[in-house]
Amino acid sequence: MTGQPQSDELEPRRGATSPHRFVFGGVAFDLYPPPGVTLAFGPRYRKGFGSYALSPVVGHVSCALHRAASARPGRPAYLGRERSRKLSWRASRAELDVAPDHDGARYDVQCGSLSVELRDLGASRYVAAARVAGTVGDCEALVSGLSAVVTHVGGGLVMHAFGLCVRGRAVLLTGPSGAGKSTAGKLAEGATSFAEDRVAVYPTPLGWYAAGLPEGSSTDTLPRAQGHVFPLGGVLQVRQAQAASRVERLRPEGGLLAVRAAVYAPDSAGPQTEAALLDRAAALAAKTPVGELHSQLGVSHFDAIERWLSSGSGGLR
Amino acid sequence: MTENEPPVDLDSVVAQAPRTASRVLEGRAVVVVIDGQRLHTLNPVGTFVWESIADECSLRAVLERMVAAFDVGRDQAASDLLDFTRRLIHLGAAELR
């Protein structure tokens, strides 16, 4: 058996066992492990946080996903109590209950060493299946990779940024490696952080939203994945400065440049992909204030960021 | 200009390099040079030149458009155009045809 799901594994089928539910990167997962594999859920992971056990995972892992866009600001993403039959899966054979006449788009996705089949069911709902023959790290790669792919398929972007929550809104600190994003973020006393390195941003009817995409090989990575999504309040490019911290809004093209510079692009991106990324970055920059945070080392920037948000430049009035 | 770079003059025919992408916001272009993963912003004059070479075009034709569009002398415009074009080529954003 290769890692690529066989076509008969995705035949319409009824019935499903209870899924393991969590939110990762603003995407709600119902994940079905292979038989005999236990996924542990501790008390601190209630309300949508998931945890993987250390058990080796060998077999088919299937999942139903949907974009958790209906979250209230600063609250765990809404998971929905009712599951559509079309999103029911049979754990034992990674078969999914999709209407036979469904004609959703299919994507072949590579998540680390895993080959994953992802189907778009419409309305921000997806199903996916993969054969996992390794450690729990493969499950992490599966979940992390699918979150990023769903973000892209839904018109969003994955950005290299430190994510802060200020007054219920996401503020993304961007800049090249070594620019001081994490340092600046950790000095924003009064804010809370929801991502240290990667953030998924995506458009919704309510505006752009942001969710953290935690990384790491530790089995603690996923449990620490915060299930919160936030309306995007602003993007700040970090610049180190000697003077007191301040925020300056960027001109439109500077905002586009700052956003695009922080976007992860596939290595194989061609002109069409680049143009699409620019369009998405421009759409984000048009709806979201983008500025420069001149960051004085060793000093909290929370007041400067909050003033910027409160002035209306950051979308709060 | 270095010895390895081809000469650029007003008879040169220039075009945007195929592995670039760009968008213009409020008269200023943001240009991505894909292979170097470099991002550039252009001022309004640079954006005018950039849009003029979306399809291959002689620099003399671009110069005529510049002189008509901007309040600038021909000699100054020609000098600026040649310098800017050399920079675009050096950055991989444009190429000679």
Side-chain angles (χ1 to χ4, degrees):
Chain A
M1 175 77 70
T2 67
Q4 179 66 42
Q6 301 300 302
S7 59
D8 63 355
E9 294 164 1
L10 291 167
E11 289 301 311
R13 193 65 66 98
R14 288 289 168 85
T17 57
S18 297
H20 294 281
R21 317 191 89 184
F22 55 90
V23 173
F24 189 94
V27 177
F29 282 80
D30 284 344
L31 190 143
Y32 297 86
V37 173
T38 303
L39 302 183
F41 282 77
R44 67 189 173 112
Y45 308 128
R46 286 177 302 190
K47 298 184 179 179
F49 296 91
S51 168
Y52 287 118
L54 286 171
S55 322
V57 179
V58 180
H60 287 102
V61 173
S62 48
C63 30
L65 311 82
H66 68 269
R67 170 57 73 192
S70 56
R72 289 175 292 173
R75 300 292 183 87
Y78 176 65
L79 286 172
R81 294 184 180 280
E82 296 182 6
R83 284 188 294 121
S84 162
R85 278 187 169 181
K86 291 184 178 179
L87 290 177
S88 297
W89 287 62
R90 173 168 293 183
S92 60
R93 293 182 56 198
E95 293 165 340
L96 96 118
D97 186 9
V98 174
D101 58 351
H102 177 72
D103 192 25
R106 172 186 157 161
Y107 303 90
D108 293 320
V109 181
Q110 198 69 30
C111 298
S113 60
L114 297 179
S115 296
V116 187
E117 179 179 329
L118 174 72
R119 288 191 185 181
D120 183 349
L121 303 181
S124 299
R125 290 176 180 271
Y126 308 85
V127 289
R131 176 173 166 75
V132 177
T135 67
V136 71
D138 287 332
C139 272
E140 291 185 356
L142 175 71
V143 171
S144 177
L146 286 177
S147 295
V149 170
V150 165
T151 297
H152 278 281
V153 170
L157 298 162
V158 177
M159 295 179 65
H160 181 204
F162 190 98
L164 287 176
C165 174
V166 179
R167 295 177 60 188
R169 288 181 173 254
V171 175
L172 309 187
L173 305 183
T174 69
S177 295
K181 300 182 294 296
S182 299
T183 304
K186 289 168 183 171
L187 284 171
E189 294 175 7
T192 56
S193 68
F194 65 92
E196 292 190 355
D197 195 60
R198 287 201 313 157
V199 179
V201 293
Y202 49 93
T204 79
L206 302 175
W208 283 77
Y209 270 65
L213 285 168
E215 286 187 285
S217 57
S218 160
T219 53
D220 285 332
T221 298
L222 283 178
R224 288 177 185 162
Q226 298 195 34
H228 296 66
V229 299
F230 302 96
L232 185 55
V235 177
L236 290 174
Q237 194 170 45
V238 175
R239 302 258 187 223
Q240 293 185 11
Q242 299 299 321
S245 297
R246 69 185 194 282
V247 175
E248 292 178 355
R249 187 162 187 171
L250 290 169
R251 290 180 47 85
E253 80 281 2
L256 169 57
L257 191 73
V259 172
R260 174 59 192 88
V263 169
Y264 285 104
D267 293 338
S268 58
Q272 286 187 332
T273 300
E274 279 294 349
L277 291 176
L278 275 178
D279 283 339
R280 292 181 184 189
L284 187 156
K287 296 286 186 183
T288 306
V290 183
E292 267 188 347
L293 170 63
H294 296 266
S295 161
Q296 187 180 17
L297 288 176
V299 177
S300 172
H301 320 296
F302 182 76
D303 290 343
I305 295 171
E306 193 177 40
R307 274 198 304 275
W308 180 65
L309 291 172
S310 301
S311 70
S313 298
L316 295 178
R317 295 180 187 279
Chain B
M1 186 175 70
T2 68
E3 291 179 0
N4 294 329
E5 291 176 353
V8 176
D9 57 35
L10 292 178
D11 292 323
S12 300
V13 175
V14 179
Q16 295 177 6
R19 289 185 60 76
T20 59
S22 64
R23 289 294 181 269
V24 177
L25 289 182
E26 297 192 6
R28 294 168 184 261
V30 173
V31 178
V32 182
V33 180
I34 294 170
D35 293 328
Q37 274 300 299
R38 300 281 300 184
L39 296 160
H40 307 277
T41 54
L42 307 182
N43 67 17
V45 178
T47 301
F48 182 91
V49 174
W50 176 253
E51 291 184 311
S52 296
I53 61 170
D55 297 315
E56 63 181 40
C57 183
S58 78
L59 291 182
R60 194 174 301 282
V62 177
L63 176 63
E64 294 306 322
R65 293 180 203 166
M66 284 179 68
V67 171
F70 296 97
D71 183 17
V72 62
R74 180 176 297 274
D75 290 346
Q76 181 66 52
S79 174
D80 291 346
L81 174 62
L82 291 174
D83 283 348
F84 180 68
T85 303
R86 289 187 187 106
R87 289 179 61 192
L88 287 179
I89 293 171
H90 180 72
L91 293 169
E95 60 187 28
L96 293 172
R97 296 290 172 85

